[in-house]
Amino acid sequence: MGKGYSAAIASNPYIVGSFACIGGGLFGLDISSMSGVLSNDAYKNTFGNPGPNAQGAIVASMPAGSFVGALLVSKLADLFGRKWTIILSGWIWVIGSILQCAAVNRGMLVVGRIISGLSVGIASAIVPLYQSEITEPRIRGRLVSMQQWSITWGILLQYFVEFGCSYIDGDASFRIPWGLQMIPAIILSVGMLFFPESPRWLVDHDRDDEALEILADLHGKGDPNNELVQLEINEIKDQVRFERTEGAKSYLDLLKPGIVRRVSLGASLQMWSQLSGMNIMMYYIIYVFQGAGLTGRRGNLIADSVQYVLNVLFTIPAIIYIDKWGRRPMLLAGTLLMGFWLMLVGGLQGGFGEWGTVDGDRVWVITGHDGITKAVIVFSYLFVCSFAITMGPVSWTYPAEIFPMRVRAKAVSVSTAANWAFNFALAWAVPPGLSNIAWKTYFIFGAFNFAAFIHIFFMFPETAGRTLEEIEEVFAQGHTFTAWAIKRDVGKKTLQDVVREKHEVHEVDSHDEKVGA
């Protein structure tokens, strides 16, 4: 492995584009590491029976760390490269997991979760960035969307570990799962040593020979003279050269005309993914089903697990067809469906529920209406399915592909930071919200989904199937408030088109040289 990576791994587009998704799985592990212990008596006793506000603060400490981690990515990714930043995120997660596993009070638990959050924030921003820069356009959406699938697998696997350990008496019932979650991070950090660096990052740091070698292994079966490889390296060089003339790399670049629009799209999409209400259904599903009238700790845990299985399964069609269906149709359909299901859940809760007491806590709960209880559970499942097949994968894919090279790391980190800022706010606010305004909480999130639909319809152009360089032409069309007017073939080029353009440029340059002589 004299190249610093395995050429065999680099030659397989699906392996090279998907392995880093383990970084996304870390977020999933964290979601279940908390949702699976909310009804655990040993957890409650160890950490002083936290009330709604205290429990919200414990959960929110992770996205607080993630917010900082996402903003750090811009510096880390440009300084150390995409590959080594991913490796770093894995080792930070290990430190956070150790502290959580050994926590003896809320303070130590919160510190461990903040450190783990730092890792998740870094990974959630750098992994889609790495994938978008190292995969070919025809499968880029599919592979970047696997970030979301990895999150769903992390949620599912950790939840079943939590469920199995729930049969253990004492602190081991939650400490064992919290300790085991460091294993995927170790696999990620060690495994990434065998993967190549982003060719675009290498060219941006004047390491063209290394970039050419990696592109040859990625797309030319090791042949640096392959026509497609040569076209790709020249396209990247031209793009990097052009972007360098645009100005220095700083956060001020994000405010420049043409860029600020994209930053707003990337950040707002991540915002809408949180305001969709998926936050409730993942972190606090046990509270949702408790309010629906589903009693009994084990019964609730089983019902929760069905939701997590559906989350994994319904992400698969999105991964397969995201580049065929397109980003816009998926987002528009998803926001409408999610808003509809949440309105139904809120309406049933409001119409058939009342304030009661469950396990000593004041809860808005449905009692004596078995059919309504089942309906709320089914609509919750349908909501999760709608998110999994639409908003979930696209919310990671879209921000990773719409920015030019010179601001890509910073812009993606800002977009991802928006995700964590709203994740933090909602993780803290939802428990008090459910304990105070109860069913009205669902109406609020339903309204957010309908607002997202309007925003996406007017302002989000289609980006599926284009190279990162071709996407520049999409945004050059304008149509800031009429995004539907940008056709899906705008910016797309065949290999013959690129060759013809290169020849035309060469002929113009030759003519200019003759005139000058």
Side-chain angles (χ1 to χ4, degrees):
M1 203 176 76
K3 297 180 177 182
Y5 65 93
S6 168
I9 288 177
S11 65
N12 189 312
Y14 287 95
I15 293 177
V16 77
S18 62
F19 181 81
C21 287
I22 294 175
L26 302 182
F27 178 32
L29 294 175
D30 177 80
I31 289 174
S32 286
S33 74
M34 287 310 302
S35 65
V37 301
L38 293 179
S39 61
N40 187 319
D41 291 333
Y43 164 80
K44 292 179 180 179
N45 294 333
T46 300
F47 299 106
N49 292 294
N53 188 58
Q55 184 57 57
I58 292 171
V59 173
S61 59
M62 192 283 294
S66 298
F67 176 78
V68 176
L71 291 177
L72 285 176
V73 161
S74 61
K75 188 67 176 178
L76 296 173
D78 285 339
L79 189 61
F80 299 114
R82 291 24 172 168
K83 169 181 172 177
W84 286 101
T85 303
I86 294 173
I87 292 171
L88 175 64
S89 71
W91 292 121
I92 294 175
W93 175 268
V94 170
I95 295 172
S97 297
I98 291 172
L99 288 173
Q100 290 180 71
C101 182
V104 294
N105 54 47
R106 291 183 195 175
M108 189 172 177
L109 176 60
V110 166
V111 170
R113 287 183 57 73
I114 289 174
I115 293 175
S116 290
L118 193 67
S119 164
V120 171
I122 294 172
S124 64
I126 193 62
V127 169
L129 182 65
Y130 176 77
Q131 291 174 304
S132 68
E133 292 182 354
I134 208 163
T135 56
E136 53 184 302
R138 73 181 172 85
I139 60 171
R140 185 181 65 242
R142 186 179 305 167
L143 291 179
V144 176
S145 67
M146 287 186 71
Q147 164 89 342
Q148 177 64 24
W149 200 41
S150 180
I151 293 173
T152 67
W153 271 109
I155 295 171
L156 180 65
L157 295 176
Q158 179 72 348
Y159 193 84
F160 278 120
V161 171
E162 294 270 4
F163 181 75
C165 290
S166 71
Y167 289 88
I168 301 174
D169 292 328
D171 291 0
S173 62
F174 64 86
R175 294 196 190 279
I176 290 175
W178 289 358
L180 290 175
Q181 65 183 357
M182 70 179 73
I183 295 175
I186 295 173
I187 295 173
L188 173 67
S189 292
V190 174
M192 280 302 297
L193 295 172
F194 299 90
F195 283 73
E197 181 56 86
S198 160
R200 285 176 172 82
W201 181 83
L202 290 170
V203 170
D204 200 33
H205 286 73
D206 300 315
R207 294 162 63 178
D208 296 6
D209 292 342
E210 294 174 63
L212 178 61
E213 185 176 42
I214 289 172
L215 284 171
D217 288 329
L218 286 171
H219 308 310
K221 298 181 179 179
D223 178 15
N225 296 314
N226 177 283
E227 186 177 20
L228 178 60
V229 171
Q230 284 295 318
L231 287 171
E232 193 168 8
I233 188 68
N234 288 328
E235 188 176 46
I236 292 172
K237 286 180 180 178
D238 291 344
Q239 187 68 22
V240 169
R241 191 179 304 116
F242 171 75
E243 288 166 354
R244 283 177 176 174
T245 65
E246 293 293 299
K249 295 179 180 179
S250 74
Y251 277 104
L252 293 178
D253 284 340
L254 303 185
L255 301 177
K256 289 186 175 180
I259 302 299
V260 67
R261 173 190 175 190
R262 300 189 223 184
V263 172
S264 69
L265 293 178
S268 60
L269 183 57
Q270 290 281 18
M271 174 193 73
W272 290 129
S273 74
Q274 288 300 313
L275 294 178
S276 69
M278 190 63 168
N279 183 283
I280 301 178
M281 299 301 180
M282 291 293 102
Y283 277 125
Y284 301 118
I285 186 60
I286 194 167
Y287 293 159
V288 175
F289 287 171
Q290 190 181 67
L294 187 63
T295 57
R297 182 181 168 206
R298 294 262 148 64
N300 204 321
L301 287 172
I302 293 171
D304 298 351
S305 68
V306 172
Q307 172 164 283
Y308 295 142
V309 171
L310 292 172
N311 194 21
V312 171
L313 293 179
F314 276 81
T315 304
I316 297 174
I319 294 172
I320 297 173
Y321 296 111
I322 186 172
D323 289 310
K324 182 178 181 180
W325 291 344
R327 297 6 171 191
R328 272 177 61 86
M330 292 175 70
L331 290 172
L332 293 171
T335 49
L336 272 183
L337 286 171
M338 288 187 291
F340 177 69
W341 302 127
L342 286 175
M343 290 297 182
L344 286 178
V345 170
L348 292 176
Q349 286 270 15
F352 294 91
E354 60 184 4
W355 288 111
T357 302
V358 178
D359 296 332
D361 297 323
R362 182 173 177 266
V363 175
W364 183 272
V365 61
I366 296 172
T367 54
H369 299 282
D370 188 54
I372 301 301
T373 294
K374 291 177 181 177
V376 169
I377 293 172
V378 169
F379 292 148
S380 299
Y381 288 160
L382 289 172
F383 168 85
V384 170
C385 293
S386 300
F387 180 91
I389 204 170
T390 59
M391 175 69 82
V394 180
S395 66
W396 294 108
T397 303
Y398 198 85
E401 65 188 4
I402 60 175
F403 301 112
M405 179 68 196
R406 77 175 185 279
V407 298
R408 188 169 295 140
K410 288 180 173 60
V412 170
S413 75
V414 168
S415 298
T416 309
N419 177 298
W420 295 117
F422 281 88
N423 190 312
F424 167 78
L426 295 175
W428 200 331
V430 166
L434 290 174
S435 65
N436 286 285
I437 61 173
W439 53 273
K440 297 174 186 175
T441 306
Y442 301 102
F443 286 163
I444 292 173
F445 285 104
F448 281 143
N449 279 292
F450 295 139
F453 174 87
I454 296 171
H455 185 198
I456 292 164
F457 179 78
F458 283 101
M459 299 188 69
F460 282 69
E462 184 57 70
T463 57
R466 299 170 176 87
T467 68
L468 298 182
E469 286 68 35
E470 289 168 353
I471 287 174
E472 294 300 305
E473 295 190 30
V474 172
F475 286 95
Q477 298 291 309
H479 295 292
T480 303
F481 300 104
T482 53
W484 68 82
I486 302 177
K487 305 302 181 184
R488 285 195 63 168
D489 60 348
V490 170
K492 282 189 177 181
K493 298 176 184 176
T494 63
L495 185 59
Q496 291 72 24
D497 292 334
V498 177
V499 171
R500 185 172 61 253
E501 288 181 7
K502 293 289 182 184
H503 285 317
E504 289 174 355
V505 170
H506 178 70
E507 290 173 2
V508 171
D509 289 344
S510 298
H511 175 72
D512 290 344
E513 289 175 3
K514 290 178 181 178
V515 173

